[in-house]
Amino acid sequence: LLMEHGIMFDEKMGSGTGNGGGEENKFMFDWRKTKVKMLYYPDIIATVNPGENQWFHGYDARYFENLGWTDKRLFGNALGVIYLLYWPIFRRNHYKNKCSLSIIEALKYSLKGFYSKR
């Protein structure tokens, strides 16, 4: 059913790609666009070792570049820019104590990622 509708995980996203996470969100968004019904089944299909993360190493320049790139990949140009502005500004309380970047720097790196060709 998934392949019939062209729904696949994006190979440019996720752990090991260097582009950060978000592949599960893109998968769900792509699925939702098809209007095919989803069913939530609360079963464990995998466990994750809480040790070293493959792509998140803190709220640094690379994180915000990846965030901008992911925003464009998930939402496109118009909504992607809106979300790109939303996260660094309105979610500042979420990361401000764990980040040495200013809001302006976070936005700069997010825009750099948004317009990057990967």
Side-chain angles (χ1 to χ4, degrees):
L1 181 64
L2 297 176
M3 293 181 109
E4 287 176 29
H5 294 281
I7 303 167
M8 301 179 74
F9 279 103
D10 190 329
E11 293 180 358
K12 291 186 176 185
M13 300 178 85
S15 186
T17 65
N19 294 324
E23 73 280 7
E24 70 284 357
N25 295 323
K26 181 142 183 0
F27 180 82
M28 298 287 281
F29 284 3
D30 290 347
W31 190 334
R32 192 170 179 152
K33 286 177 195 172
T34 68
K35 307 285 188 215
V36 175
K37 291 188 183 242
M38 289 185 224
L39 172 69
Y40 170 72
Y41 185 77
D43 200 5
I44 297 172
I45 61 170
T47 57
V48 177
N49 181 357
E52 185 68 23
N53 192 302
Q54 292 287 321
W55 64 267
F56 181 74
H57 302 288
Y59 297 103
D60 57 7
R62 184 67 179 163
Y63 172 83
F64 285 100
E65 281 186 47
N66 286 339
L67 180 67
W69 181 83
T70 300
D71 291 346
K72 184 173 185 175
R73 200 135 180 105
L74 291 176
F75 304 114
N77 288 325
L79 289 175
V81 166
I82 292 169
Y83 193 74
L84 180 145
L85 296 171
Y86 162 78
W87 212 98
I89 295 171
F90 295 103
R91 297 293 308 264
R92 179 86 175 142
N93 286 336
H94 178 76
Y95 68 87
K96 73 179 177 181
N97 294 332
K98 306 169 204 160
C99 180
S100 62
L101 300 176
S102 68
I103 290 176
I104 299 299
E105 290 171 316
L107 287 169
K108 180 183 90 170
Y109 287 114
S110 295
L111 284 167
K112 182 180 177 184
F114 191 85
Y115 291 108
S116 72
K117 306 275 188 226
R118 298 185 189 187

